[in-house]
Amino acid sequence: MLAEMRIQGLGVIEDAVLELHPGLTVVTGETGAGKTMVVTGLHLLSGGRSDSSKVRAGAGRATVEGRFADLTDGPAARTVTDAGAEPDEDGSVIALRSVGADGRSRAHLGGRSVPVGVLAELAEQLLAVHGQNDQLRLLRPTEQRAVLDRFAGQPVADVLAEYRRVRQEWLSVSAELDRRRTHTRELAQQADLLRHGLTEIEAVDPAPGEDTDLTERVKRLSAAEELREAATAAQLALTGSADGDPDSPGALGLLGEARRRLSGADDTTLREFEPRLAEAAVLLDEVGGELAGYLDSLEVDPARLEEILARQAELKKLTRKYAADVDGVLAWAEDARQQLSSMDTSEDALAELEARRDALSTELSGHAARLSAARAEAAAELGERISTELAGLAMGQAGIEVTVRGRPAGADDTEAVVVGDETLHAGPDGVDDVELRLRAHSGAQPLPVHKAASGGELSRVMLATEVVLAHADTVGTLVFDEVDAGVGGRAAVEIGRRLATLARTHQVLVVTHLPQVAAFADRHLVVDKDTDDGVTRSGVRVLATDERVTELARMLAGLDETETGRAHAEELLDAAERYKAAPASEAGARSEAQPDAQPEARSGAKAGRGGGGRKRSAGRRS
């Protein structure tokens, strides 16, 4: 749930804090006061595209900050954790988006800087923002298919995932087959070059790290005499002269003499040195033995040196052509073998690829058929559910049909599969075209929504669709920006009721200009605009009950200063409160029955006549 939002330097809003609660919250205000900046702020907080033109004049940047509560588990909590963000002690997390006047945008989550995409991922789990632009998106075939898939849920999602997996492999095999057939000559030339290189490398047969090992051996053979002289001198220094000359006893002889003298001393402290000298004698004796072994293994063989130098020359030919060292040459050879396996243009190889492609095509066709069947089953239910909602939105004779049809493949379509007896285009989302068709009344032909629906009807279709989808969604917060545009009278009342019903299970935030909708709010916010020294500023405040009456009266054709207007506003509030106080089942049944909503309708009619009445002050709070 979005518990709080702060907007600074965005459009006409200098600094405003919105404290949000569960249920239905409406935002109203005069035209131009900045109501839509609330939705703009939510779009920014949801990772939407930034626009420096929305930064308030004179401000260096616009900032939107939101606090999301109850993120203890689920996908949203995992998104927060994966981003390295730190929730507050109460489990809430702060998201922040700023847009500079220079167009630069930054995002923070839980006190850490994050990519804007992280905010988008988080918002996808927590809130859905619907504005008048969403009505236009609803007209797109891809969006209508997405609506159906969203409603169908897991039964379609599982089949779609398998379809996409097989389709990706099918496309890959098809592309490989086409590549080999189209570029046979070029592939053959490349294969010859690779085979020549492999033949050359295999003839030399280098071993891993061989070049480094040979370099060390060449150094040793080239300096064999100097190495023998040094090792011999070191050995003599340890063991003494070879002829046993007493004047050259060596380190071991001198050490033995020191041990004898210490062990025979008549002093305990002095005798304690002897064991340590014994340890040194053991170490020197080991070194002497190892030096003797080194001298025995030391080669002084000019012929062997010539052999190693010749081997080095062979390896250098390879390293000059294929890589910097022998290990790189071996890696080149392995890569060449793998490339050759994909360059086989023989009849057998092409036939094997073609058989694999056909098998995948058949498998893909089966997944496509199952996907279409799952969509068709969900489409029938979705159409019925939306039609039922439309009946409650003063469109009782209207109905929605959701059609699922295969998309025929073009003549040169490279992504075509045969499903049943049809050749269809296999796109990333299946072979189906999904279309919402509106039947304006019982005797009318169903037509595409964009042809059959007026602006107000399209608003109601979108709202009805959202109400239906809300039960299939895990998103907790729904935002509507003037989706009631072009609607009035009974339809406006029914929209308010539907939003109130939706608010029983979701947090709902609505920007509206209709008093019939605003009357159903659990919390009413108003955006005020003030001008001081030629500078326009807007702020947001919560309305108390008496202030709500004044605001609703203002929305009723500007009757906020008349007794008639206030009376009509009070009627609206009383009717809305009675509806909200009724049990959910009773309220739903009452809405389905399409009541006359006489108090609301009368209020609208009287407002239209201008109402005479005695004037009264607005009673606004500063």
Side-chain angles (χ1 to χ4, degrees):
M1 184 186 81
L2 181 61
E4 186 178 51
M5 184 170 74
R6 182 173 187 178
I7 302 173
Q8 294 176 294
L10 186 64
V12 294
I13 297 180
E14 186 174 39
D15 191 350
V17 176
L18 286 75
E19 294 184 359
L20 304 173
H21 294 265
L24 175 60
T25 300
V26 299
V27 180
T28 64
E30 294 277 6
T31 300
K35 300 188 298 298
T36 57
M37 287 299 106
V38 174
V39 179
T40 300
L42 284 167
H43 272 296
L44 288 173
L45 205 58
S46 303
R49 185 178 178 181
S50 61
D51 184 355
S52 61
S53 67
K54 294 290 195 292
V55 178
R56 180 178 170 81
R61 65 178 54 250
T63 303
V64 182
E65 183 177 344
R67 181 167 64 85
F68 294 96
D70 302 325
L71 299 186
T72 53
D73 54 15
R78 287 194 293 273
T79 299
V80 172
T81 302
D82 293 345
E86 298 182 2
D88 290 342
E89 294 180 357
D90 60 359
S92 65
V93 66
I94 303 295
L96 184 143
R97 179 83 181 277
S98 62
V99 180
D102 57 1
R104 293 183 180 180
S105 169
R106 293 184 179 179
H108 293 79
L109 183 64
R112 300 187 68 115
S113 178
V114 297
V116 172
V118 173
L119 293 189
E121 183 180 349
L122 179 66
E124 186 178 344
Q125 310 294 336
L126 298 177
L127 58 88
V129 181
H130 302 282
Q132 296 181 51
N133 290 334
D134 294 87
Q135 298 175 22
L136 300 177
R137 286 205 296 270
L138 188 63
L139 304 180
R140 303 172 189 165
T142 54
E143 182 67 18
Q144 293 178 12
R145 182 173 54 231
V147 164
L148 176 59
D149 289 355
R150 186 174 150 200
F151 172 77
Q154 213 59 41
V156 163
D158 292 342
V159 182
L160 181 58
E162 277 301 296
Y163 168 88
R164 285 173 172 165
R165 180 188 64 78
V166 174
R167 177 180 179 273
Q168 188 60 42
E169 188 177 356
W170 171 66
L171 289 175
S172 177
V173 172
S174 299
E176 179 63 19
L177 179 61
D178 182 66
R179 184 179 72 89
R180 293 196 196 186
R181 283 175 171 170
T182 306
H183 304 287
T184 302
R185 180 175 297 176
E186 293 89 338
L187 290 175
Q189 292 173 349
Q190 292 178 30
D192 284 343
L193 291 173
L194 292 175
R195 289 193 192 96
H196 175 75
L198 283 173
T199 300
E200 194 172 14
I201 293 170
E202 289 167 359
V204 176
D205 191 22
E210 184 180 359
D211 50 347
T212 303
D213 179 61
L214 289 181
T215 300
E216 291 299 320
R217 294 177 67 182
V218 167
K219 287 181 180 178
R220 184 176 295 177
L221 284 169
S222 300
E225 290 299 334
E226 291 86 347
L227 295 174
R228 180 176 292 280
E229 182 179 343
T232 300
Q235 186 183 36
L236 290 175
L238 286 175
T239 61
S241 63
D243 57 4
D245 184 356
D247 293 330
S248 302
L252 284 170
L254 294 173
L255 196 58
E257 178 63 21
R259 289 177 62 195
R260 285 192 297 274
R261 291 181 179 276
L262 291 174
S263 61
D266 190 18
D267 181 66
T268 304
T269 302
L270 199 57
R271 286 197 301 272
E272 289 176 353
F273 289 110
E274 192 275 335
R276 294 165 64 186
L277 292 178
E279 294 176 3
V282 171
L283 178 61
L284 291 178
D285 187 56
E286 290 177 353
V287 173
E290 291 176 5
L291 283 172
Y294 176 82
L295 286 168
D296 291 340
S297 66
L298 189 63
E299 289 184 273
V300 184
D301 186 350
R304 180 58 179 157
L305 178 59
E306 288 300 322
E307 290 177 5
I308 293 176
L309 289 174
R311 178 64 176 173
Q312 263 193 330
E314 290 182 327
L315 296 179
K316 284 181 180 178
K317 287 181 181 178
L318 298 181
T319 55
R320 278 197 298 268
K321 293 178 68 174
Y322 301 107
D325 54 27
V326 166
D327 289 345
V329 171
L330 293 172
W332 184 94
E334 180 60 29
D335 182 63
R337 292 186 189 98
Q338 293 180 5
Q339 288 187 56
L340 280 172
S341 67
S342 66
M343 290 181 178
D344 189 352
T345 57
S346 66
E347 290 296 328
D348 290 343
L350 294 179
E352 183 180 346
L353 268 178
E354 189 171 357
R356 178 60 180 155
R357 180 204 61 187
D358 293 344
L360 287 168
S361 178
T362 301
E363 186 180 356
L364 183 64
S365 176
H367 287 306
R370 285 189 288 276
L371 180 59
S372 298
R375 281 174 170 159
E377 183 179 350
E381 184 180 354
L382 177 60
E384 291 177 4
R385 298 272 293 273
I386 296 177
S387 298
T388 300
E389 288 299 326
L390 288 177
L393 291 172
M395 292 178 66
Q397 294 187 352
I400 286 286
E401 292 182 6
V402 183
T403 63
V404 180
R405 295 191 305 271
R407 182 188 305 171
D412 299 322
D413 196 335
T414 58
E415 299 181 12
V417 294
V418 177
V419 182
D421 57 356
E422 295 182 284
T423 301
L424 304 176
H425 174 76
D429 297 306
V431 298
D432 306 313
D433 280 333
V434 176
E435 186 174 55
L436 270 66
R437 301 174 71 87
L438 175 65
R439 185 182 63 252
H441 52 82
S442 56
Q445 283 290 108
L447 295 174
V449 170
H450 68 279
K451 293 183 179 179
S454 64
E457 288 172 334
L458 188 57
S459 296
R460 281 176 276 178
V461 170
M462 198 201 77
L463 179 60
T465 302
E466 190 58 45
V467 170
V468 171
L469 293 179
H471 302 293
D473 269 350
T474 56
V475 176
T477 301
L478 302 174
V479 182
F480 297 94
D481 178 21
E482 296 192 4
V483 294
D484 48 21
V487 177
R490 176 184 296 173
V493 175
E494 294 303 332
I495 287 178
R497 285 177 170 166
R498 279 298 182 276
L499 292 170
T501 301
L502 198 56
R504 295 176 186 265
T505 55
H506 292 70
Q507 181 188 36
V508 181
L509 177 63
V510 181
V511 176
T512 183
H513 67 283
L514 291 179
Q516 296 96 324
V517 173
F520 285 88
D522 300 309
R523 189 175 182 83
H524 191 150
L525 307 179
V526 68
V527 180
D528 288 325
K529 179 172 67 174
D530 294 314
T531 302
D532 185 17
D533 296 331
V535 178
T536 301
R537 296 181 177 86
S538 290
V540 181
R541 59 191 178 90
V542 182
L543 296 184
T545 302
D546 59 332
E547 292 176 311
R548 288 191 67 191
V549 172
T550 302
E551 175 64 7
L552 292 179
R554 178 197 66 77
M555 297 171 73
L556 286 163
L559 301 179
D560 53 316
E561 295 187 355
T562 69
E563 290 288 354
T564 303
R566 293 182 63 85
H568 296 168
E570 289 168 354
E571 263 189 302
L572 275 175
L573 285 173
D574 290 342
E577 288 302 322
R578 287 196 303 273
Y579 177 82
K580 291 192 295 180
S585 58
E586 182 183 336
R590 188 183 305 169
S591 179
E592 297 295 339
Q594 295 188 45
D596 292 336
Q598 288 299 323
E600 295 87 337
R602 285 199 306 270
S603 296
K606 291 179 182 179
R609 292 194 298 269
R614 181 170 52 88
K615 291 187 177 181
R616 171 182 254 177
S617 65
R620 295 176 63 149
R621 186 174 64 183
S622 61

